[in-house]
Amino acid sequence: MVNTDTKKEAVSPVVGVMLMLVVTIIIAAVVSGFGTGMIGDTPTATPASVRYVGISPGGTDKVLDDGFVGLIFEVTGGSIDLEKLKFYIYGSDYGGGGEAHMTYNDVPWSKYHIGGEGSNANQLKYQFNNPGEGTLAYDPDEFYSSRMMKFTNLDYTGEGMCPGETILTTGDRFILFFEYFTPQTATSYSVSPPTLGFGMHRNTGTGASTAFQSGAVYANGDGQGILSGLDGTVYWDGYLKASDII
């Protein structure tokens, strides 16, 4: 007679326990992955954004200036490092035009400080220029140690400036120094429209002949400026206009 009462099991109890343990471990790993962000879209860093505010002409007193000359920008998102920025400018002016690139480490030319090297008192009284010795709360040559500087206000004493603070976040403002601003109403020159001037020493020596780059750009919609990162990221690209003067 054939015995038909034989019991058959698909898996042994030991194997079944092992399978349940493996499944539990897999589920726990998946849940942990979602919880720690290992699974899903990788978040990307928010790119910094910068707003061009306008042109600071350096104040209202042509003899004893009460402000700083340059272009003002504001960080509207993310963060930037001034040491990783560069500025390119190109345009025409009454002297034949100018073109230059500027980085954080380019120092403004001391010729245009009041009483600075090679300054011309007769010329300066018709130009709004950066404050100099006797006006600024700091030694000019020491203070103007970079082309760009964070600030909280543009008071002529320099107390509102933040030299050395290169990391800027949302809401912070910085100025890109120019050497001088010649207003449209300057009486000693046939200047129309107003002009921004710049000059940089990238080599040793004194006097205009050793300025590696110098020139001036009209603020009439002709002068073009580009603010970018050293990596090529463009933050602002535009033209300087008299209506930008603040």
Side-chain angles (χ1 to χ4, degrees):
M1 174 179 285
V2 179
N3 183 4
T4 59
D5 195 30
T6 304
K7 294 182 180 180
K8 297 181 179 180
E9 297 181 356
V11 293
S12 71
V14 175
V15 174
V17 171
M18 292 295 295
L19 287 174
M20 286 189 291
L21 182 60
V22 170
V23 170
T24 301
I25 293 173
I26 293 174
I27 293 174
V30 171
V31 171
S32 176
F34 277 109
T36 58
M38 293 175 61
I39 298 177
D41 295 334
T42 302
T44 56
T46 302
S49 55
V50 176
R51 177 176 72 94
Y52 169 60
V53 177
I55 300 171
S56 171
T60 57
D61 188 331
K62 295 181 182 180
V63 178
L64 186 62
D65 307 302
D66 56 3
F68 295 86
V69 175
L71 305 183
I72 297 176
F73 296 91
E74 179 180 332
V75 180
T76 57
S79 65
I80 61 171
D81 184 349
L82 295 183
E83 292 185 286
K84 296 182 179 179
L85 294 182
K86 63 180 177 180
F87 185 79
Y88 168 80
I89 193 165
Y90 171 82
S92 62
D93 82 326
Y94 59 90
E99 179 177 6
H101 70 274
M102 310 172 199
T103 65
Y104 176 84
N105 292 318
D106 285 310
V107 179
W109 195 0
S110 63
K111 173 181 178 179
Y112 294 98
H113 300 163
I114 297 176
E117 168 230 333
S119 62
N120 184 316
N122 182 60
Q123 180 186 51
L124 291 176
K125 71 180 182 180
Y126 297 109
Q127 297 177 333
F128 298 158
N129 65 319
N130 292 324
E133 186 176 359
T135 304
L136 196 62
Y138 306 82
D139 175 73
D141 292 328
E142 179 181 352
F143 181 78
Y144 292 111
S145 58
S146 62
R147 177 61 60 167
M148 307 172 195
M149 192 174 295
K150 175 185 173 182
F151 70 90
T152 56
N153 65 67
L154 297 176
D155 179 79
Y156 73 96
T157 65
E159 295 294 349
M161 307 301 284
C162 308
E165 295 186 29
T166 62
I167 306 299
L168 277 63
T169 58
T170 302
D172 288 337
R173 288 189 171 190
F174 67 96
I175 183 169
L176 190 150
F177 290 127
F178 276 68
E179 273 66 18
Y180 65 83
F181 172 82
T182 304
Q184 190 167 358
T185 56
T187 57
S188 65
Y189 304 101
S190 56
V191 177
S192 180
T195 307
L196 282 167
F198 52 88
M200 288 163 288
H201 281 291
R202 287 206 176 98
N203 53 4
T204 59
T206 59
S209 62
T210 60
F212 183 76
Q213 292 182 330
S214 64
V217 173
Y218 273 146
N220 65 345
D222 170 72
Q224 180 185 16
I226 301 174
L227 179 71
S228 68
L230 297 178
D231 61 357
T233 302
V234 175
Y235 294 106
W236 177 77
D237 182 353
Y239 292 84
L240 306 181
K241 306 178 294 296
S243 59
D244 296 336
I245 299 170
I246 56 178

